[in-house]
Amino acid sequence: FDWDAQAQADIDLQLGDEGPLGRLDVQVAGGNLRVREEGEWLLLPYEQLQLNSRLTPRAINSKLQFRAPELGRLELQAQLDPGRPDLPMRASYLIQDVDVAALRPFFPLLSELAGSMQGQGELSGSLQAPVASGHLRLRDGRVAGESLPLTIEQLQLDMLLVGQRMLLNGSWQSGEQGRARPLHRPARPAGPQQGRLRSESTPQRRS
């Protein structure tokens, strides 16, 4: 992984007995993220990466913005209380037109990864134990790889975040006739996961 860019920072920060006071503004000019795969560098150009933070002894307010033609748009706004040991937080996130194909180099067992992701929601609780609410949506997904028994096409997946749980619902297709639908699958971020899958016809394996 490599990062080729120029950054500008404007920092006005005072560290007193009661805590930090000031501001931090960082803007990274458009550049390239580079990922090395099988001896070659893959370029992922981006247009904007910007961080703005305001700091007081009782609150740190930050906004992070990222935009790239291939990766889409990501935005995060967060408020953190640094004066308490459990670090309570509140945050909101926005994911728009993220092309998951750009993430394929991070999954070496996959030869193909495609789809578009959208989402928005909120985070609360503490920094050590955040609680999420919101949704993520994947459309027109495709997953393929030599280690997989079949190719997953037309993956449509809705993910609803409710506290410590994630509810999954969607459909996918393999081959010309094979199709299956996950039904209201609840899953927790950690520990064993269970769900049900109803098959409408037998997925076709690749020859």
Side-chain angles (χ1 to χ4, degrees):
F1 181 80
D2 187 34
W3 188 7
D4 180 17
Q6 294 183 349
Q8 294 181 343
D10 185 4
I11 303 174
D12 181 8
L13 183 61
Q14 301 177 17
L15 299 178
D17 295 336
E18 297 182 355
L21 179 65
R23 59 183 176 84
L24 171 65
D25 297 306
V26 179
Q27 182 168 350
V28 182
N32 293 300
L33 299 174
R34 302 197 304 168
V35 180
R36 191 174 182 86
E37 181 186 27
E38 297 180 354
E40 297 184 359
W41 287 101
L42 302 179
L43 295 181
L44 302 175
Y46 68 92
E47 298 173 349
Q48 179 190 29
L49 177 58
Q50 185 171 332
L51 172 65
N52 303 102
S53 294
R54 298 297 179 264
L55 299 89
T56 70
R58 289 302 187 98
I60 298 177
N61 293 281
S62 298
K63 182 176 182 180
L64 177 66
Q65 300 178 83
F66 177 81
R67 187 173 69 246
E70 295 186 15
L71 295 177
R73 176 188 172 195
L74 304 174
E75 186 173 305
L76 175 67
Q77 297 189 53
Q79 182 181 74
L80 178 69
D81 185 351
R84 294 175 53 180
D86 57 340
L87 298 176
M89 62 166 291
R90 295 182 61 184
S92 62
Y93 64 88
L94 173 67
I95 301 174
Q96 192 174 63
D97 299 327
V98 171
D99 186 354
V100 299
L103 304 177
R104 196 200 60 78
F106 299 99
F107 300 91
L109 297 180
L110 300 181
S111 60
E112 294 184 52
L113 180 63
S116 177
M117 181 169 287
Q118 316 274 348
Q120 63 181 10
E122 297 181 349
L123 299 172
S124 60
S126 67
L127 193 62
Q128 292 88 348
V131 177
S133 64
H135 73 273
L136 297 172
R137 181 174 297 162
L138 176 67
R139 290 294 179 261
D140 301 324
R142 177 179 172 87
V143 181
E146 292 296 328
S147 61
L148 300 180
L150 49 82
T151 296
I152 297 176
E153 301 175 316
Q154 292 300 315
L155 176 59
Q156 318 294 336
L157 186 61
D158 292 307
M159 295 161 276
L160 180 64
L161 306 175
V162 183
Q164 298 289 336
R165 297 190 303 160
M166 177 184 292
L167 307 178
L168 305 181
N169 189 27
S171 65
W172 56 270
Q173 178 175 322
S174 181
E176 296 181 357
Q177 298 180 349
R179 183 183 297 271
R181 293 180 182 275
L183 298 177
H184 307 296
R185 178 180 177 182
R188 291 185 179 275
Q193 299 182 7
Q194 296 180 348
R196 292 185 298 158
L197 186 67
R198 181 179 68 193
S199 178
E200 298 180 348
S201 58
T202 303
Q204 299 180 354
R205 294 178 178 269
R206 296 177 307 180
S207 59

